[in-house]
Amino acid sequence: MKYLDEFSDPALARRLLDAIHAATTRPWAMMEVCGGQTHSIIRHGIDQLLPEGIELIHGPGCPVCVTPLETIDKALAIASAPDVIFCSFGDMLRVPGSGRDLFTVKSEGADVRVVYSPLDALELARQHPDRQVVFFGIGFETTAPANAMTVHQARRLGIRNFSLLVSHVLVPPAIAAIMESPSCRVQAFLAAGHVCSVMGTEQYPALAAKYRVPIVVTGFEPLDILEGIRQTVVQLEAGRHELANAYPRVVPAEGNVPARAMLEDVFEVADRTWRGIGTIPASGWRLSARYREFDAEERFAVGEIRTDESPLCRAGEVLQGHIKPHECAAFGKECTPRNPLGATMVSSEGACAAYYAYRRLDLVEVGG
C-alpha cells in the first residue's frame, strides 16, 4: 500500500538503525510527545532496537489520557440529565470518572451515542429540536478544527440546542511544563507530526532555544520515528538545540492556515487541567465570547464539579515520563483494559494500554 508499506521497509529501517548506532556516543533521553507514536514504538519494538543508552520517555500526548477526571464527571452529569443526547467518540465511553463511566450511564438509561464526527452530533440536534444535544470535544490541536467548525455551523444555522463540552489542550505549554519540572530528565522531543500539520512549527524554535533541547517534528510509521530519532541524536551529539522537520511530506511550516483561522475565531486560550498533571497555564482552549452560548459546561451549570484521582493510579507519573507503565504496582493487576483505573489503560493511544497489548508477556517473563 503506497505511503504505508514504504515506511515500514525492514531494509531501510536497518539502515536508519545503523546510522543511529553510529551517531550515538553517550546516553540520551528523549520524549515522544504523541500517544500514537508511543504505540508505534512499542508495537514495532523500536525502543528495543536502539543503542543501549537511548531512552524513549513516553509523553502526555494522548488526548483521552489527559482529559481530567472532573471533566469526565461533568460529562457524566450532563449525559444523565433529562432530554439530553450525549455524543462522543467511542474511546471516551470507557474512561473512568470518579465512580462510573459513560457506558455505565448509558446502561442506566441515558441517551449516550457514539458518533464519528461532531457534525453527526449537529445533525442529531437538527433532527431533535426538542432535546439538548451535547458533543464531547476533547483532544489536542489535531481534533479541534472539526469541533470549531461544528460550533461555527451551529451558530450560522441557528441550531441552538447543540452545545460542546470542551476539553482541548495544547502541546507547546505542556513541553514547557515538562521542562520546568524539577524531576525532568528529557533532553529532546519528538514532536507530534499531526499537531504540527494543523498548527505549523512556529511555536517550537523559541522552546528549543529557551530550554536548550532539540525538537524534531516526527511522523508515526516506523521509518518516520527512526528518522526523527536519528535527527535528534545528531543534534544532541553536536550540542545543537534547534527545530527540525522530519515529517515534511505532511507538515508545512505554516500548518493548515484555514483551520488555524477557524480555531482563532471559535476558541480562546485558557488555563487547562491535565489529568494526573494538574493545571498548566494557557495550555488549552475554551469557546470564545462570540460562541460562549454553545458551551455545555455553562449551559448545564457543571463548572463547579471537582474530583480527586484514585490513589492507586499513577497515570500522572506515566504521562510526565517519570515512570514506565509496568513500574506501577497496579499494572496488569488491579488495572487492566477491562478494569482500568486510569485513562492511560483505556485509550488506544495510552502508554499503559500499549504496554499491556504489546509488552506485558515480555515483562512477565522478565519478572519471572
Side-chain angles (χ1 to χ4, degrees):
M1 183 181 295
K2 192 168 180 60
Y3 298 130
L4 186 58
D5 292 344
E6 292 91 335
F7 290 93
S8 300
D9 185 290
L12 292 177
R14 183 71 266 170
R15 287 170 58 184
L16 283 169
L17 281 165
D18 289 344
I20 293 168
H21 279 262
T24 304
T25 65
R26 68 191 88 171
W28 299 110
M30 62 188 73
M31 175 177 281
E32 83 276 3
V33 172
C34 178
Q37 292 168 333
T38 300
H39 266 254
S40 187
I41 288 165
I42 302 303
R43 178 185 178 189
H44 296 286
I46 291 172
D47 57 327
Q48 297 174 321
L49 301 173
L50 296 173
E52 187 175 342
I54 301 295
E55 180 185 2
L56 294 176
I57 300 173
H58 312 314
C62 161
V64 174
C65 305
V66 299
T67 302
L69 191 63
E70 63 194 45
T71 301
I72 304 298
D73 282 354
K74 290 172 186 177
L76 296 171
I78 294 170
S80 301
D83 297 320
V84 167
I85 301 174
F86 192 89
C87 301
S88 173
F89 295 141
D91 55 2
M92 291 303 298
L93 267 65
R94 293 189 59 248
V95 177
S98 56
R100 50 188 183 160
D101 56 28
L102 284 167
F103 262 134
T104 304
V105 171
K106 181 177 176 66
S107 72
E108 294 169 351
D111 193 348
V112 177
R113 306 190 190 187
V114 173
V115 295
Y116 295 96
S117 164
L119 291 171
D120 294 340
L122 185 63
E123 177 60 19
L124 282 171
R126 189 190 65 78
Q127 294 173 1
H128 300 278
D130 57 329
R131 301 181 68 183
Q132 290 291 320
V133 177
V134 182
F135 180 74
F136 201 178
I138 71 143
F140 288 86
E141 297 94 328
T142 316
T143 56
N147 294 338
M149 181 179 66
T150 302
V151 174
H152 177 83
Q153 286 287 86
R155 185 175 184 270
R156 186 179 70 83
L157 298 173
I159 303 177
R160 305 295 174 183
N161 62 320
F162 173 82
S163 60
L164 186 71
L165 180 59
V166 182
S167 188
H168 280 302
V169 289
L170 307 173
V171 168
I175 289 178
I178 289 166
M179 291 306 303
E180 291 174 10
S181 170
S183 56
C184 177
R185 298 185 299 112
V186 179
Q187 297 168 292
F189 289 91
L190 305 180
H194 52 6
V195 168
C196 295
S197 72
V198 174
M199 300 302 294
T201 59
E202 63 186 36
Q203 292 178 288
Y204 294 97
L207 287 170
K210 179 177 181 179
Y211 297 108
R212 301 182 66 82
V213 290
I215 300 177
V216 178
V217 179
T218 304
F220 303 88
E221 297 302 322
L223 296 190
D224 289 321
I225 292 170
L226 289 170
E227 175 60 12
I229 293 169
R230 187 195 67 80
Q231 291 193 26
T232 303
V233 169
V234 167
Q235 283 204 47
L236 288 167
E237 291 281 344
R240 296 178 6 235
H241 40 84
E242 303 162 357
L243 169 72
N245 185 1
Y247 201 33
R249 73 180 187 278
V250 172
V251 176
E254 69 278 8
N256 186 323
V257 175
R260 292 179 64 182
M262 179 65 71
L263 290 169
E264 188 173 343
D265 178 42
V266 175
F267 292 120
E268 63 185 26
V269 173
D271 298 347
R272 273 287 169 198
T273 301
W274 295 54
R275 187 168 193 164
I277 298 175
T279 299
I280 301 176
S283 66
W285 278 313
R286 67 179 180 183
L287 290 172
S288 64
R290 186 180 178 199
Y291 295 91
R292 195 67 51 78
E293 65 178 296
F294 296 98
D295 189 332
E297 189 169 318
E298 292 193 5
R299 184 173 295 186
F300 292 90
V302 294
E304 297 306 312
I305 290 178
R306 297 289 183 268
T307 46
D308 296 321
E309 296 282 348
S310 164
L312 286 175
C313 182
R314 299 180 69 185
E317 294 172 81
V318 173
L319 290 168
Q320 295 176 78
H322 294 165
I323 64 170
K324 294 289 194 291
H326 65 279
E327 294 172 334
C328 173
F331 176 81
K333 301 179 182 72
E334 294 91 345
C335 184
T336 68
R338 281 186 170 273
N339 183 38
L341 293 177
T344 49
M345 185 60 89
V346 179
S347 171
S348 60
E349 294 189 7
C352 296
Y355 272 69
Y356 191 89
Y358 303 118
R359 194 65 59 81
R360 78 179 186 280
L361 296 180
D362 294 341
L363 295 170
V364 168
E365 290 173 5
V366 170

